[in-house]
Amino acid sequence: MMGESGHKADGVERRGLMFVLSSPSGAGKTTLSRLLIERMAGLRMSVSVTTRPMRPGEVDGRDYFFVDHARFQAMADNGDLLEWATVFDNGYGTPRAPVEAALTAGEDVLFDIDWQGTQQLREKAGKDVVSVFILPPSAGDLEKRLHTRAQDSDDVIRGRMSRASHELSHWAEYDYIVVNHTIEDAFAEVQSILKAERLKRERRTGLTEFVRSLQKQLGQ
Ligand code: 5GP
């Protein structure tokens, strides 16, 4: 179903993949996502819908599509969301159409979603999903980053800290675990994962044809 399309960067057709980054808030996942989009060709960000209020500096349609609860519910009821979950009392979901369009256009898709969404994607798209869990190097580091971000109230930050330990408990459901000591090292690791996953034999649907044509040229 999903991912059947013309990914052909090195001349061999392959299935598209859905690349998921999850982590507790403040582990650096947003920065990693941005770097991946900037530096990796053929990768498109999935922009989620959310009912939570916009933070300063956020842009509607870039960071999220900000919607009210009624609109969110309507999208969920209509099957317009590939997955959705409630996080910190707000709805978060992945619009289905842009993901399908990107995969059809020959691009991989990057998701910044939580463990609930990752489980749903896995159920729907199986091995087309590659998931990475980002861990902070320490609890102190996580807290510092939440404070540095300084966009949320102390109450919200406390709530996020207590949620972090629950979110951490889902690490074992992920394919890869990256500890974010420095953003450049973590980026290099995540980039390596994506590069290697793109080369996996099972995704490379054009290999039989490619090798056959090599053999033909070799006179077999
Ligand atoms: P924030 O409010 O800090 O932007 O995001 C809170 C959490 O919601 C993060 O863990 C983020 O990964 C998750 N999230 C963002 N968009 C989605 C989505 O579309 N689906 C799911 N399941 N989680 C999401």
Side-chain angles (χ1 to χ4, degrees):
M1 47 153 229
M2 274 178 273
E4 222 109 23
S5 57
H7 295 62
K8 238 181 163 174
D10 66 356
V12 181
E13 189 106 12
R14 71 169 170 87
R15 298 171 61 73
L17 59 85
M18 303 164 83
F19 199 56
V20 177
L21 295 188
S22 295
S23 74
S25 305
K29 176 187 43 169
T30 310
T31 309
L32 286 173
S33 301
R34 185 176 48 75
L35 290 177
L36 276 171
I37 293 296
E38 280 170 15
R39 299 185 194 174
M40 293 293 282
L43 185 65
R44 203 182 291 179
M45 188 80 208
S46 165
V47 180
S48 299
V49 288
T50 184
T51 62
R52 82 143 162 77
M54 204 186 291
R55 295 191 189 122
E58 285 185 329
V59 176
D60 189 28
R62 185 194 68 186
D63 299 290
Y64 283 101
F65 294 104
F66 295 92
V67 297
D68 60 20
H69 281 89
R71 173 91 190 106
F72 187 88
Q73 198 54 51
M75 290 183 82
D77 292 346
N78 287 340
D80 294 341
L81 300 178
L82 203 49
E83 62 74 32
W84 60 274
T86 303
V87 185
F88 309 123
D89 299 328
N90 282 301
Y92 291 81
T94 301
R96 176 191 300 277
V99 174
E100 290 177 349
L103 291 172
T104 304
E107 302 214 30
D108 297 324
V109 183
L110 176 62
F111 300 83
D112 170 345
I113 58 176
D114 78 336
W115 59 271
Q116 305 174 78
T118 308
Q119 285 182 352
Q120 293 171 52
L121 279 195
R122 179 78 71 194
E123 275 159 27
K124 291 195 169 129
K127 288 191 172 158
D128 291 340
V129 176
V130 176
S131 62
V132 184
F133 199 83
I134 314 291
L135 289 174
S138 68
D141 187 272
L142 188 78
E143 189 168 13
K144 202 173 75 202
R145 285 190 216 187
L146 284 176
H147 279 291
T148 318
R149 199 154 70 178
Q151 289 166 351
D152 293 317
S153 70
D154 280 358
D155 262 6
V156 171
I157 290 174
R158 263 194 299 280
R160 280 169 191 253
M161 287 295 286
S162 75
R163 278 295 299 254
S165 123
H166 175 66
E167 290 173 38
L168 283 177
S169 69
H170 290 275
W171 66 272
E173 295 157 26
Y174 285 74
D175 299 320
Y176 296 92
I177 310 296
V178 167
V179 181
N180 186 7
H181 286 284
T182 73
I183 201 73
E184 280 304 324
D185 287 349
F187 170 73
E189 289 176 355
V190 171
Q191 187 183 38
S192 307
I193 295 167
L194 178 57
K195 284 184 174 174
E197 286 287 344
R198 282 176 166 178
L199 296 177
K200 264 209 169 149
R201 176 169 42 78
E202 307 92 81
R203 299 190 208 292
R204 316 247 289 162
T205 47
L207 272 178
T208 306
E209 189 191 332
F210 185 73
V211 173
R212 223 176 252 148
S213 105
L214 286 179
Q215 287 173 326
K216 209 159 146 201
Q217 290 163 46
L218 291 167
Q220 301 270 313

